[in-house]
Amino acid sequence: MDKAEVQSLIEAGIGQAEVSVYSPRHHDDEDHLGAIVVSPIFEDKSLVTRHQLVHDALGEYLTRDIHAIELRTYTPAEYAEEDQIPSVPTDEQP
Amino acid sequence: MHRPPEPDRPYEEVEAEVATVLDEHEVVLFMKGNELMPQCGYSRKALALIKHYRDEVEVVDVLEALPHYRKALKPHSGRETIPQAFVNGKFIGGGDILEQLHERDELADTLTPTP
């Protein structure tokens, strides 16, 4: 499933959404994707609820055609002051 | 409709196991692989994030019966993607949510089960 299709699915399912779909660096294959979704409807919603809305927008495609999607969801205000994201402590097994 | 070869474990058994594990353990992570051999980047990251704050976590390797676990987890979390983390039986996130909670310094509290 290509990125444009995923983008339009999310835009169709989430009101007034600005969506950018990307392939996360650590995954080269096509069906591990990432998406940044910015929409005012996320206001006062928890991360779990926001992600649920996006998962619902993707419906059956998720896990069938899209194996995994890494989501970052923001309201326009949150996205405006989004600064550098700190790295994550993934201790590599030797 | 031809059903794909089902893993040998019956669905009902997996469904019951999921309910029991969620009931008996404070923090549970359903992941692909196990603590020693995570089989997917997101699962490995979710495990590392939890372990960063807490030693004790019940890990369930869903690869033994992936389709069954996906179906059994959906009523508990609303999603079928793996990994899935729970605290006191409540879904707290997949890999991406755990990472964002960590970035906002909210993961420590999220992982501390309120009595």
Side-chain angles (χ1 to χ4, degrees):
Chain A
M1 184 161 215
D2 69 30
K3 298 189 186 73
E5 274 173 301
V6 174
Q7 178 171 342
S8 50
L9 264 176
I10 297 175
E11 281 165 352
I14 305 278
Q16 305 149 44
E18 263 178 63
V19 183
S20 59
V21 183
Y22 58 92
S23 296
R25 284 178 324 288
H26 48 269
H27 270 277
D28 34 38
D29 50 47
E30 186 44 53
D31 52 20
H32 278 75
L33 295 174
I36 293 173
V37 186
V38 183
S39 165
I41 68 154
F42 289 146
E43 200 66 46
D44 305 329
K45 290 193 172 65
S46 71
L47 278 181
V48 170
T49 307
R50 294 180 184 191
H51 285 223
Q52 190 57 56
L53 291 169
V54 180
H55 276 240
D56 292 344
L58 293 171
E60 283 306 309
Y61 294 102
L62 200 52
T63 74
R64 201 185 58 199
D65 306 285
I66 310 164
H67 280 208
I69 186 159
E70 185 181 296
L71 295 174
R72 290 188 163 274
T73 52
Y74 305 97
T75 61
E78 286 164 355
Y79 194 62
E81 23 118 347
E82 183 55 28
D83 48 24
Q84 230 299 311
I85 295 170
S87 67
V88 166
T90 43
D91 19 46
E92 301 297 337
Q93 274 83 12
Chain B
M1 181 188 85
H2 166 65
R3 289 191 59 80
E6 286 295 1
D8 37 29
R9 287 181 65 195
Y11 171 70
E12 291 70 26
E13 194 189 291
V14 172
E15 189 183 35
E17 180 214 335
V18 165
T20 312
V21 166
L22 287 177
D23 196 37
E24 286 174 354
H25 297 275
E26 278 178 352
V27 177
V28 184
L29 178 66
F30 292 87
M31 67 180 282
K32 288 179 179 173
N34 55 46
E35 290 191 56
L36 296 177
M37 291 183 300
Q39 298 297 315
C40 149
Y42 293 121
S43 287
R44 183 172 52 74
K45 188 193 292 185
L47 182 64
L49 283 168
I50 294 174
K51 286 282 190 183
H52 184 70
Y53 293 97
R54 190 188 158 91
D55 290 333
E56 204 252 317
V57 49
E58 181 68 14
V59 173
V60 177
D61 180 356
V62 300
L63 288 176
E64 303 157 23
L66 186 54
H68 285 349
Y69 276 106
R70 287 192 194 281
K71 196 173 155 208
L73 284 166
K74 180 118 191 192
H76 296 281
S77 63
R79 60 164 70 190
E80 293 190 354
T81 50
I82 302 296
Q84 292 192 21
F86 293 81
V87 173
N88 283 345
K90 189 170 162 292
F91 176 66
I92 59 160
D96 45 14
I97 291 179
L98 291 177
E99 183 182 2
Q100 286 157 41
L101 288 173
H102 166 68
E103 283 157 10
R104 302 170 178 207
D105 287 328
E106 292 173 17
L107 188 47
D109 300 341
T110 310
L111 287 172
T112 318
T114 43

